[in-house]
Amino acid sequence: MTAALETIGLEKRFGGLVATDKVSLTLEQGARHALIGPNGAGKTTFVNLLTGVLPANGGKILLGGQDVTGKNQIQRARLGMGRTFQINQLFGAMTPVESLGLAVSERRGAGADFWRRIGTRADIMAEITGLIERFRLTDVMDHPTRLLPYGKQRLLEIALALASKPRVLLLDEPAAGVPEAERGELLETLAELPRDVSILLIEHDMDLVFAFAERITVLVNGALFASGSVAEIMADPRVQAVYLGSSEHA
């Protein structure tokens, strides 16, 4: 079966600094895969290469077997690559219903129609309702996003990413900034994401990583350091020395 996402010898240099050092990673169909590493490991650079924010200096990126290395962010998104960000990218004055309505309508090619005739498209409203319920936003669906608890904002951001119907979803530290009391709801929602979406989770919260991931890849100094099942990574003394046993996570 063709991998959902694959990198082959991916490289990124900033002058004399090698930020991504010939990284080859395979994200299988339906994967729940985590990418971890200490501060400065190059995780964010790697994600920016995958999504087209940064151009690669070498190697290839295959999305569903298709070479997307030379494609831009919009082209990759249209081919099925979605992402969230460490700092959320939301419109504070809009409600979750409005935000999701716009995202769903734009994907369906009816963006202007949504704003002119909100609530009149049964197919769009059904999809919005499904996302609101899946992401536990029913109680805040009509509240301005800026007033939502931060955990709810994170859930909305993931809902917006899923509204684009991605085949591959990159979650960049979804638990960052979320209070402890709200993390349980976030983890439960992540666990219920549809299996037809292959997920790469970049996260420093190891409780979340171990609860969510089925496979883990470790980056150190921009290079692939280890990869395996959760049990294998937890038991790897090299990983414990450079990351799991360290007080510094990123």
Side-chain angles (χ1 to χ4, degrees), residues 7-10 21-26 46 224:
T7 67
I8 303 171
L10 196 61
D21 189 2
K22 298 181 180 178
V23 173
S24 295
L25 179 146
T26 299
F46 185 71
L224 195 152

Side-chain angles (χ1 to χ4, degrees), residues 135-211:
F135 287 91
R136 296 167 165 81
L137 296 167
T138 305
D139 57 334
V140 296
M141 64 182 181
D142 293 320
H143 297 186
T145 296
R146 67 176 181 274
L147 302 181
L148 268 54
Y150 198 67
K152 294 290 188 183
Q153 292 185 26
R154 283 297 194 184
L155 289 171
L156 175 57
E157 187 181 17
I158 300 169
L160 287 167
L162 204 64
S164 68
K165 297 287 187 182
R167 292 183 290 162
V168 170
L169 180 58
L170 311 176
L171 297 176
D172 195 354
E173 297 200 26
V178 178
E180 190 65 36
E182 299 175 44
R183 291 194 176 201
E185 185 176 56
L186 176 64
L187 180 56
E188 289 174 11
T189 305
L190 291 176
E192 295 168 1
L193 288 174
R195 274 285 174 172
D196 59 352
V197 181
S198 307
I199 299 174
L200 180 63
L201 172 73
I202 299 88
E203 184 56 68
H204 74 276
D205 184 326
M206 297 311 299
D207 290 336
L208 193 160
V209 168
F210 290 146

Side-chain angles (χ1 to χ4, degrees), residues 64-183:
Q66 180 177 350
D67 190 345
V68 298
T69 313
K71 297 188 181 299
N72 62 33
Q73 296 180 66
I74 294 174
Q75 291 170 323
R76 295 185 199 194
R78 287 174 177 164
L79 289 169
M81 187 179 293
R83 77 170 292 182
T84 63
F85 296 83
Q86 289 183 28
I87 301 174
N88 70 48
Q89 311 282 310
L90 301 172
F91 295 105
M94 295 174 66
T95 67
V97 166
E98 291 169 340
S99 298
L100 288 166
L102 180 58
V104 171
S105 298
E106 287 291 344
R107 193 198 76 240
R108 289 170 173 257
D113 183 59
F114 171 79
W115 289 114
R116 286 197 305 268
R117 301 164 54 200
I118 186 168
T120 62
R121 288 280 301 272
D123 55 342
I124 291 177
M125 289 308 299
E127 189 171 341
I128 295 168
T129 300
L131 288 165
I132 288 286
E133 292 174 351
R134 176 188 289 274
F135 287 91
R136 296 167 165 81
L137 296 167
T138 305
D139 57 334
V140 296
M141 64 182 181
D142 293 320
H143 297 186
T145 296
R146 67 176 181 274
L147 302 181
L148 268 54
Y150 198 67
K152 294 290 188 183
Q153 292 185 26
R154 283 297 194 184
L155 289 171
L156 175 57
E157 187 181 17
I158 300 169
L160 287 167
L162 204 64
S164 68
K165 297 287 187 182
R167 292 183 290 162
V168 170
L169 180 58
L170 311 176
L171 297 176
D172 195 354
E173 297 200 26
V178 178
E180 190 65 36
E182 299 175 44
R183 291 194 176 201

Side-chain angles (χ1 to χ4, degrees), residues 19-40:
T20 304
D21 189 2
K22 298 181 180 178
V23 173
S24 295
L25 179 146
T26 299
L27 187 72
E28 302 291 353
Q29 296 286 348
R32 297 297 184 260
H33 196 136
L35 181 69
I36 67 172
N39 287 324

